[in-house]
Amino acid sequence: MKLPLIISCLILAGCQSTPYAMIDGSQSKISDADNYNVEIIAIDGAFQSGKLTKNIKPGYHTVHLSTTGPLRSRKATSTLVYPLLAKECMRYVVSAQHGPSNKDDWEIKVLDERLIPACTPSPAEPEVAVVIPDYAKPTGDISCLTQDQLTNQTTPVVLLHSVAACIKSQDYNSAINAYFLAGAYAYFDSLRVTHKLSHAVVDLIKKDSIWTLSALEQQNFEQKLAEYLASEQKQQTCEWVKTIGAPDYAPQYMLQHLPQDGAPQNTDLSADIKATLFNATLNDYLGCSSPQT
């Protein structure tokens, strides 16, 4: 089991050349009055627009789903986490199953898992051992960093290892803050380092940090994250990230992951371009409201 990817997954438009999977929340059981469709709120930390269906890459994903059914209490949980290990060419039909006597009590129900006829699976390949390069590792041991210890010079390498340390110590507030900032800064870095192959270094960092946690540790964090996404704390964290501002470091971890034949990348941006990219990070990736001017 693996934690969510910080960089949002690409939507796969085709299926003959690239196998994909699908989450489908649009096929609730008509015969069951307590079964409702679900909207897709976020996938792997990347916020969605409330669609009912979504194509995804095969592999592990953390999907946040919201019921379309009625909730009577404002305190009722409208969003739940659906951990999904998606296989190639599979459609996962999910729904919200509400309690017959208490509409506020609901759970995610998987109605069906079936093959996508037009999708062609890729040939099986032997698993290759992954080597984590030094530039994707912190220079020393990283403890759980609190919100006050995080700055605009804290890189995703340090942030993701801090997330893992915080989860281990069950300091979930600090874990979520570091996770949120890591996602923002990794996304920002992917905008200023335009070579897409270099973005894969983020996965290597996660494999060396948060993906080393036990399944139970990851599940506990995912539940806390789901509660956070459905609360007012998200907007408070958005304001905190705005206050910290855009990254103030050179993204060496990503620059060093460039292919040998890759074109040199200039990450020394003007103030205007930096502000534009940071606003895009806040609005398009984190789903925060536009900064006040």
Side-chain angles (χ1 to χ4, degrees), residues 95-199:
S95 64
Q97 187 65 50
H98 286 245
S101 58
N102 182 4
K103 294 294 185 181
D104 290 346
D105 183 18
W106 70 282
E107 63 182 6
I108 296 170
K109 183 175 182 180
V110 180
L111 297 179
D112 194 13
E113 297 180 9
R114 59 177 181 266
L115 287 171
I116 302 171
C119 181
T120 303
S122 59
E125 296 181 358
E127 187 173 347
V128 179
V130 177
V131 177
I132 309 298
D134 289 341
Y135 54 78
K137 299 178 180 179
T139 55
D141 293 336
I142 302 298
S143 60
C144 176
L145 302 176
T146 63
Q147 188 180 67
D148 293 339
Q149 294 175 293
L150 303 179
T151 72
N152 62 353
Q153 295 183 338
T154 312
T155 69
V157 176
V158 173
L159 288 166
L160 287 171
H161 279 268
S162 176
V163 172
C166 292
I167 293 173
K168 280 185 173 294
S169 64
Q170 298 185 1
D171 184 351
Y172 294 114
N173 286 337
S174 295
I176 290 173
N177 287 331
Y179 179 79
F180 206 79
L181 191 62
Y185 280 8
Y187 184 83
F188 182 94
D189 291 341
S190 73
L191 295 178
R192 57 176 170 167
V193 180
T194 56
H195 201 298
K196 291 185 178 180
L197 292 179
S198 66
H199 302 169

Side-chain angles (χ1 to χ4, degrees), residues 237-257:
T237 308
C238 280
E239 296 301 324
W240 168 67
V241 173
K242 293 176 190 178
T243 301
I244 290 181
D248 185 25
Y249 58 79
Q252 293 297 332
Y253 73 99
M254 194 171 283
L255 290 171
Q256 292 186 61
H257 202 64

Side-chain angles (χ1 to χ4, degrees), residues 267-288:
T267 60
D268 187 14
L269 308 175
S270 68
D272 288 343
I273 294 177
K274 199 170 187 178
T276 298
L277 296 185
F278 191 56
N279 285 340
T281 299
L282 292 169
N283 300 330
D284 300 338
Y285 178 73
L286 295 182
C288 299

